[in-house]
Amino acid sequence: MKRLIILVVYCFGTVFCDMSGECDFVSFYQELGCTAIPNDDNLTCPKEFDCPDLHPNPNMCYYRGVEYADRATIPMDLVKNPCALGCVCTIDSGPRFDCAAVDCVENFDPDQQECIYTFSLDSCCSTGEVCGKDAIASLKTCEADGKTYKEGQYFEPANSRKKCVCTADWNGSYDDPATCSDINCGLEIYNQKNIMDKCAPVFVKTAKSCPFSFQCPSAKTKIIKGINLRGIQSQCVFGNLTLNVGDEVVGDDSCTKCSCEVPPFMTCVKTTYSCPN
């Protein structure tokens, strides 16, 4: 059984639709279908977001506002993450989506010298390859973040939530839909129960990328009260806890800072993938 819940994302002029590469947490909230609430100046980053009830029934799975019963499969034409294939709702021990494993050939031979793998924007894995020194040398090139990419190669520009494929017509713009598109992290597909339990997304170094993991409350969770300098009345929810803007949460990982910055989710930023605790 499926039931449609309408999700609406608003843009204030051109402000929040194109700030995913400039403002922390914007892309995270946009992917979940949340509405940006602007600051008083209507120019700087959103102060908070209004999110729909992302998981109203704990005995169902949810993806993009659609409800899926146990063993129901998300139609492929609705899936926005190209690597999420054959995703089936499973309810036992908490709702989740189980998807088919994807093995890309380039992951087994990433440093191939005689060939380069080529991609398309809507593919999970490489779609072809160009082999031979002369053939590779004849390809057009793209310059991004101080690196050179050959025609057909995939890259992710720094400080953005974009994925791009170098083309012969590359003009250096990340806003051209023929060469770049927004990255979809598959938040609801891969983190169904974490979102339902109101856990906090954990980003590594920058909150403009996809979350590395989620952190949930535990017996060792401690709240450090802060000062709400921005005067935001909305609060963050962390499991069964409610925190004010400026409050922080500490646990076992000294490399991770979790705070209420942009409600309603608590958000965590990890300074390194591996913490020396």
Side-chain angles (χ1 to χ4, degrees):
M1 179 181 71
K2 302 175 188 177
R3 179 167 53 85
L4 181 63
I5 300 171
I6 303 216
L7 302 181
V8 181
V9 181
Y10 293 98
C11 295
F12 297 90
T14 59
V15 179
F16 300 127
C17 288
D18 56 9
M19 274 196 172
S20 59
E22 301 175 22
C23 299
D24 289 344
F25 318 121
V26 168
S27 291
F28 170 81
Y29 280 118
Q30 284 181 335
E31 186 171 324
L32 293 178
C34 302
T35 302
I37 308 299
N39 274 294
D40 293 338
D41 60 12
N42 203 33
L43 295 174
T44 53
C45 297
K47 63 179 181 180
E48 59 185 291
F49 283 79
D50 181 19
C51 295
D53 189 346
L54 296 169
H55 215 112
N57 187 340
N59 296 313
M60 293 285 181
C61 297
Y62 291 86
Y63 179 65
R64 295 178 60 81
V66 178
E67 185 181 78
Y68 293 86
D70 188 42
R71 311 315 302 167
T73 301
I74 307 176
M76 279 306 302
D77 61 336
L78 299 181
V79 177
K80 299 300 181 182
N81 184 294
C83 292
L85 306 176
C87 298
V88 179
C89 171
T90 303
I91 299 299
D92 66 306
S93 68
R96 69 180 188 275
F97 284 110
D98 293 322
C99 305
V102 179
D103 293 325
C104 297
V105 63
E106 62 270 15
N107 294 334
F108 295 98
D109 189 16
D111 299 318
Q112 188 174 174
Q113 300 297 314
E114 295 300 321
C115 300
I116 64 167
Y117 295 107
T118 57
F119 296 80
S120 64
L121 282 177
D122 58 356
S123 67
C124 175
C125 301
S126 59
T127 55
E129 60 183 8
V130 177
C131 298
K133 292 182 179 180
D134 291 341
I136 293 174
S138 68
L139 295 174
K140 301 290 187 180
T141 61
C142 304
E143 299 287 337
D145 301 320
K147 297 181 180 179
T148 301
Y149 299 91
K150 292 288 188 178
E151 187 178 344
Q153 286 189 309
Y154 171 95
F155 63 96
E156 295 179 11
N159 299 318
S160 77
R161 188 74 167 270
K162 298 282 188 181
K163 59 180 181 180
C164 302
V165 173
C166 177
T167 68
D169 301 321
W170 168 256
N171 61 7
S173 171
Y174 303 142
D175 296 323
D176 184 353
T179 54
C180 297
S181 63
D182 293 332
I183 290 176
N184 183 283
C185 300
L187 293 173
E188 292 178 286
I189 289 178
Y190 300 119
N191 300 281
Q192 184 79 183
K193 192 171 187 305
N194 287 323
I195 291 173
M196 182 186 75
D197 291 342
K198 298 178 174 61
C199 300
V202 180
F203 302 89
V204 177
K205 296 183 180 180
T206 172
K208 301 177 182 67
S209 58
C210 293
F212 169 69
S213 62
F214 275 72
Q215 181 166 309
C216 302
S218 70
K220 297 183 179 180
T221 297
K222 295 181 181 180
I223 298 176
I224 300 176
K225 289 294 183 180
I227 301 175
N228 186 357
L229 297 175
R230 290 148 58 205
I232 297 173
Q233 299 303 309
S234 297
Q235 296 176 306
C236 294
V237 179
F238 186 48
N240 294 323
L241 303 173
T242 302
L243 299 94
N244 296 317
V245 170
D247 291 349
E248 296 183 5
V249 167
V250 295
D252 295 334
D253 187 351
S254 62
C255 299
T256 303
K257 177 184 177 182
C258 298
S259 57
C260 178
E261 293 187 40
V262 184
F265 276 84
M266 286 286 292
T267 45
C268 306
V269 177
K270 193 178 182 72
T271 57
T272 177
Y273 283 99
S274 158
C275 190
N277 280 359

